[in-house]
mmCIF file of all heavy atoms in Angstrom:
data_model
loop_
_atom_site.group_PDB
_atom_site.id
_atom_site.type_symbol
_atom_site.label_atom_id
_atom_site.label_comp_id
_atom_site.label_asym_id
_atom_site.label_seq_id
_atom_site.Cartn_x
_atom_site.Cartn_y
_atom_site.Cartn_z
ATOM 1 N N ALA A 5 -4.133 -2.330 -22.525
ATOM 2 C CA ALA A 5 -3.542 -3.246 -21.504
ATOM 3 C C ALA A 5 -3.732 -4.662 -21.904
ATOM 4 O O ALA A 5 -4.744 -5.113 -22.434
ATOM 5 C CB ALA A 5 -4.175 -2.950 -20.111
ATOM 6 N N ASP A 6 -2.751 -5.496 -21.478
ATOM 7 C CA ASP A 6 -2.806 -6.972 -21.716
ATOM 8 C C ASP A 6 -3.493 -7.617 -20.495
ATOM 9 O O ASP A 6 -2.852 -8.212 -19.644
ATOM 10 C CB ASP A 6 -1.396 -7.551 -21.865
ATOM 11 C CG ASP A 6 -0.681 -6.889 -23.053
ATOM 12 O OD1 ASP A 6 -0.892 -7.352 -24.178
ATOM 13 O OD2 ASP A 6 0.135 -5.986 -22.832
ATOM 14 N N ILE A 7 -4.844 -7.544 -20.442
ATOM 15 C CA ILE A 7 -5.544 -8.103 -19.335
ATOM 16 C C ILE A 7 -6.743 -8.794 -19.854
ATOM 17 O O ILE A 7 -7.500 -8.252 -20.659
ATOM 18 C CB ILE A 7 -5.993 -6.968 -18.327
ATOM 19 C CG1 ILE A 7 -4.779 -6.241 -17.774
ATOM 20 C CG2 ILE A 7 -6.814 -7.525 -17.198
ATOM 21 C CD1 ILE A 7 -5.157 -5.009 -16.942
ATOM 22 N N ASP A 8 -6.968 -10.044 -19.387
ATOM 23 C CA ASP A 8 -8.182 -10.787 -19.751
ATOM 24 C C ASP A 8 -9.225 -10.853 -18.651
ATOM 25 O O ASP A 8 -10.410 -11.106 -18.844
ATOM 26 C CB ASP A 8 -7.788 -12.220 -20.140
ATOM 27 C CG ASP A 8 -6.907 -12.254 -21.362
ATOM 28 O OD1 ASP A 8 -7.085 -11.383 -22.295
ATOM 29 O OD2 ASP A 8 -5.998 -13.116 -21.433
ATOM 30 N N ARG A 9 -8.706 -10.730 -17.402
ATOM 31 C CA ARG A 9 -9.642 -10.687 -16.264
ATOM 32 C C ARG A 9 -9.004 -9.863 -15.131
ATOM 33 O O ARG A 9 -7.779 -9.838 -14.958
ATOM 34 C CB ARG A 9 -9.945 -12.126 -15.759
ATOM 35 C CG ARG A 9 -8.780 -12.946 -15.437
ATOM 36 C CD ARG A 9 -9.138 -14.375 -15.080
ATOM 37 N NE ARG A 9 -8.006 -15.186 -14.739
ATOM 38 C CZ ARG A 9 -7.307 -15.910 -15.544
ATOM 39 N NH1 ARG A 9 -7.609 -15.920 -16.837
ATOM 40 N NH2 ARG A 9 -6.244 -16.652 -15.180
ATOM 41 N N THR A 10 -9.835 -9.216 -14.337
ATOM 42 C CA THR A 10 -9.306 -8.337 -13.307
ATOM 43 C C THR A 10 -10.332 -8.191 -12.202
ATOM 44 O O THR A 10 -11.545 -8.306 -12.408
ATOM 45 C CB THR A 10 -8.931 -6.970 -13.871
ATOM 46 O OG1 THR A 10 -8.370 -6.134 -12.835
ATOM 47 C CG2 THR A 10 -10.209 -6.252 -14.441
ATOM 48 N N ILE A 11 -9.817 -7.932 -10.963
ATOM 49 C CA ILE A 11 -10.691 -7.623 -9.846
ATOM 50 C C ILE A 11 -9.900 -6.610 -8.999
ATOM 51 O O ILE A 11 -8.675 -6.733 -8.823
ATOM 52 C CB ILE A 11 -11.101 -8.904 -9.029
ATOM 53 C CG1 ILE A 11 -12.055 -8.484 -7.957
ATOM 54 C CG2 ILE A 11 -9.867 -9.579 -8.443
ATOM 55 C CD1 ILE A 11 -12.741 -9.667 -7.282
ATOM 56 N N ALA A 12 -10.618 -5.598 -8.487
ATOM 57 C CA ALA A 12 -9.965 -4.567 -7.682
ATOM 58 C C ALA A 12 -10.923 -4.140 -6.579
ATOM 59 O O ALA A 12 -12.176 -4.222 -6.724
ATOM 60 C CB ALA A 12 -9.635 -3.383 -8.562
ATOM 61 N N ALA A 13 -10.384 -3.635 -5.485
ATOM 62 C CA ALA A 13 -11.156 -3.103 -4.388
ATOM 63 C C ALA A 13 -10.349 -2.115 -3.619
ATOM 64 O O ALA A 13 -9.063 -2.171 -3.578
ATOM 65 C CB ALA A 13 -11.618 -4.235 -3.435
ATOM 66 N N GLY A 14 -11.022 -1.170 -3.007
ATOM 67 C CA GLY A 14 -10.268 -0.137 -2.297
ATOM 68 C C GLY A 14 -11.165 0.735 -1.404
ATOM 69 O O GLY A 14 -12.374 0.646 -1.443
ATOM 70 N N LEU A 15 -10.525 1.564 -0.629
ATOM 71 C CA LEU A 15 -11.135 2.493 0.290
ATOM 72 C C LEU A 15 -10.540 3.933 0.075
ATOM 73 O O LEU A 15 -9.420 4.085 -0.268
ATOM 74 C CB LEU A 15 -10.868 2.103 1.737
ATOM 75 C CG LEU A 15 -11.519 0.797 2.277
ATOM 76 C CD1 LEU A 15 -10.879 0.487 3.648
ATOM 77 C CD2 LEU A 15 -13.032 0.982 2.377
ATOM 78 N N SER A 16 -11.438 4.908 0.340
ATOM 79 C CA SER A 16 -10.967 6.297 0.345
ATOM 80 C C SER A 16 -11.462 6.993 1.594
ATOM 81 O O SER A 16 -12.640 6.729 2.006
ATOM 82 C CB SER A 16 -11.492 7.072 -0.892
ATOM 83 O OG SER A 16 -12.875 7.117 -0.939
ATOM 84 N N LEU A 17 -10.668 7.804 2.190
ATOM 85 C CA LEU A 17 -10.977 8.515 3.449
ATOM 86 C C LEU A 17 -10.872 10.014 3.229
ATOM 87 O O LEU A 17 -9.889 10.466 2.636
ATOM 88 C CB LEU A 17 -10.034 8.111 4.582
ATOM 89 C CG LEU A 17 -10.294 6.754 5.302
ATOM 90 C CD1 LEU A 17 -9.996 5.582 4.371
ATOM 91 C CD2 LEU A 17 -9.460 6.663 6.560
ATOM 92 N N SER A 18 -11.847 10.737 3.683
ATOM 93 C CA SER A 18 -11.821 12.169 3.602
ATOM 94 C C SER A 18 -10.897 12.715 4.642
ATOM 95 O O SER A 18 -10.849 12.223 5.815
ATOM 96 C CB SER A 18 -13.244 12.765 3.815
ATOM 97 O OG SER A 18 -13.202 14.118 4.044
ATOM 98 N N GLY A 19 -10.143 13.764 4.290
ATOM 99 C CA GLY A 19 -9.241 14.418 5.193
ATOM 100 C C GLY A 19 -9.938 15.204 6.321
ATOM 101 O O GLY A 19 -9.270 15.732 7.236
ATOM 102 N N LYS A 20 -11.248 15.274 6.260
ATOM 103 C CA LYS A 20 -11.996 15.927 7.294
ATOM 104 C C LYS A 20 -11.719 15.365 8.704
ATOM 105 O O LYS A 20 -11.749 16.081 9.679
ATOM 106 C CB LYS A 20 -13.509 15.840 7.029
ATOM 107 C CG LYS A 20 -14.374 16.643 7.942
ATOM 108 C CD LYS A 20 -15.826 16.562 7.530
ATOM 109 C CE LYS A 20 -16.748 17.416 8.461
ATOM 110 N NZ LYS A 20 -18.112 17.268 8.035
ATOM 111 N N GLN A 21 -11.331 14.059 8.691
ATOM 112 C CA GLN A 21 -11.107 13.411 9.978
ATOM 113 C C GLN A 21 -9.779 13.903 10.656
ATOM 114 O O GLN A 21 -9.624 13.747 11.838
ATOM 115 C CB GLN A 21 -11.043 11.871 9.735
ATOM 116 C CG GLN A 21 -12.316 11.314 9.206
ATOM 117 C CD GLN A 21 -12.249 9.841 8.939
ATOM 118 O OE1 GLN A 21 -12.603 8.995 9.753
ATOM 119 N NE2 GLN A 21 -11.773 9.477 7.740
ATOM 120 N N TRP A 22 -8.864 14.488 9.861
ATOM 121 C CA TRP A 22 -7.688 15.028 10.456
ATOM 122 C C TRP A 22 -7.525 16.541 10.145
ATOM 123 O O TRP A 22 -6.458 17.097 10.100
ATOM 124 C CB TRP A 22 -6.416 14.252 10.029
ATOM 125 C CG TRP A 22 -6.258 14.084 8.539
ATOM 126 C CD1 TRP A 22 -5.673 14.881 7.677
ATOM 127 C CD2 TRP A 22 -6.740 12.984 7.782
ATOM 128 N NE1 TRP A 22 -5.709 14.396 6.388
ATOM 129 C CE2 TRP A 22 -6.347 13.182 6.458
ATOM 130 C CE3 TRP A 22 -7.418 11.765 8.115
ATOM 131 C CZ2 TRP A 22 -6.632 12.283 5.441
ATOM 132 C CZ3 TRP A 22 -7.701 10.915 7.092
ATOM 133 C CH2 TRP A 22 -7.355 11.101 5.788
ATOM 134 N N GLY A 23 -8.711 17.175 9.940
ATOM 135 C CA GLY A 23 -8.680 18.636 9.853
ATOM 136 C C GLY A 23 -8.382 19.204 8.522
ATOM 137 O O GLY A 23 -8.166 20.398 8.347
ATOM 138 N N ARG A 24 -8.400 18.369 7.428
ATOM 139 C CA ARG A 24 -8.200 18.815 6.062
ATOM 140 C C ARG A 24 -9.311 18.265 5.178
ATOM 141 O O ARG A 24 -9.184 17.246 4.506
ATOM 142 C CB ARG A 24 -6.809 18.414 5.542
ATOM 143 C CG ARG A 24 -5.680 19.107 6.255
ATOM 144 C CD ARG A 24 -4.342 18.781 5.552
ATOM 145 N NE ARG A 24 -4.323 19.135 4.134
ATOM 146 C CZ ARG A 24 -4.005 20.351 3.704
ATOM 147 N NH1 ARG A 24 -3.648 21.314 4.551
ATOM 148 N NH2 ARG A 24 -4.006 20.591 2.395
ATOM 149 N N PRO A 25 -10.484 18.930 5.239
ATOM 150 C CA PRO A 25 -11.692 18.409 4.569
ATOM 151 C C PRO A 25 -11.595 18.274 3.048
ATOM 152 O O PRO A 25 -12.347 17.516 2.481
ATOM 153 C CB PRO A 25 -12.785 19.390 5.001
ATOM 154 C CG PRO A 25 -12.023 20.648 5.310
ATOM 155 C CD PRO A 25 -10.745 20.225 5.906
ATOM 156 N N ASP A 26 -10.668 18.961 2.436
ATOM 157 C CA ASP A 26 -10.532 18.915 0.951
ATOM 158 C C ASP A 26 -9.478 17.887 0.491
ATOM 159 O O ASP A 26 -9.243 17.693 -0.703
ATOM 160 C CB ASP A 26 -10.119 20.301 0.388
ATOM 161 C CG ASP A 26 -11.281 21.288 0.605
ATOM 162 O OD1 ASP A 26 -12.440 20.906 0.540
ATOM 163 O OD2 ASP A 26 -10.959 22.506 0.837
ATOM 164 N N ASP A 27 -8.865 17.189 1.461
ATOM 165 C CA ASP A 27 -7.889 16.126 1.143
ATOM 166 C C ASP A 27 -8.566 14.793 1.102
ATOM 167 O O ASP A 27 -9.605 14.610 1.720
ATOM 168 C CB ASP A 27 -6.717 16.082 2.186
ATOM 169 C CG ASP A 27 -5.842 17.292 2.099
ATOM 170 O OD1 ASP A 27 -6.136 18.236 1.324
ATOM 171 O OD2 ASP A 27 -4.814 17.353 2.849
ATOM 172 N N THR A 28 -7.910 13.826 0.399
ATOM 173 C CA THR A 28 -8.410 12.443 0.362
ATOM 174 C C THR A 28 -7.205 11.515 0.409
ATOM 175 O O THR A 28 -6.211 11.749 -0.317
ATOM 176 C CB THR A 28 -9.197 12.173 -0.931
ATOM 177 O OG1 THR A 28 -10.259 13.126 -1.005
ATOM 178 C CG2 THR A 28 -9.764 10.776 -0.957
ATOM 179 N N TRP A 29 -7.314 10.485 1.190
ATOM 180 C CA TRP A 29 -6.342 9.386 1.175
ATOM 181 C C TRP A 29 -7.022 8.108 0.671
ATOM 182 O O TRP A 29 -8.173 7.852 1.025
ATOM 183 C CB TRP A 29 -5.756 9.143 2.575
ATOM 184 C CG TRP A 29 -4.873 7.899 2.592
ATOM 185 C CD1 TRP A 29 -3.599 7.819 2.113
ATOM 186 C CD2 TRP A 29 -5.162 6.599 3.118
ATOM 187 N NE1 TRP A 29 -3.074 6.544 2.310
ATOM 188 C CE2 TRP A 29 -4.052 5.752 2.915
ATOM 189 C CE3 TRP A 29 -6.314 6.062 3.723
ATOM 190 C CZ2 TRP A 29 -4.029 4.472 3.285
ATOM 191 C CZ3 TRP A 29 -6.277 4.732 4.098
ATOM 192 C CH2 TRP A 29 -5.175 3.958 3.875
ATOM 193 N N GLY A 30 -6.337 7.375 -0.216
ATOM 194 C CA GLY A 30 -6.986 6.161 -0.749
ATOM 195 C C GLY A 30 -5.956 5.049 -0.851
ATOM 196 O O GLY A 30 -4.754 5.260 -0.928
ATOM 197 N N ILE A 31 -6.509 3.814 -0.777
ATOM 198 C CA ILE A 31 -5.673 2.607 -0.986
ATOM 199 C C ILE A 31 -6.520 1.589 -1.711
ATOM 200 O O ILE A 31 -7.737 1.487 -1.568
ATOM 201 C CB ILE A 31 -5.218 2.041 0.408
ATOM 202 C CG1 ILE A 31 -4.219 0.877 0.157
ATOM 203 C CG2 ILE A 31 -6.381 1.629 1.262
ATOM 204 C CD1 ILE A 31 -3.482 0.465 1.458
ATOM 205 N N ALA A 32 -5.837 0.803 -2.607
ATOM 206 C CA ALA A 32 -6.561 -0.178 -3.393
ATOM 207 C C ALA A 32 -5.665 -1.325 -3.698
ATOM 208 O O ALA A 32 -4.425 -1.202 -3.728
ATOM 209 C CB ALA A 32 -7.066 0.433 -4.710
#
């Protein structure tokens, strides 16, 4: 990749909160 500097952040949520414990939703 053509990158000299980078910063990233994100969250992941377990599907257990909506009844699917093996699922994951993420955003970054």
Side-chain angles (χ1 to χ4, degrees):
D6 300 279
I7 300 173
D8 298 325
R9 55 184 181 271
T10 184
I11 186 168
L15 292 169
S16 64
L17 280 71
S18 167
K20 186 177 182 179
Q21 299 177 95
W22 51 89
R24 291 188 58 88
D26 295 324
D27 290 5
T28 304
W29 174 75
I31 187 168

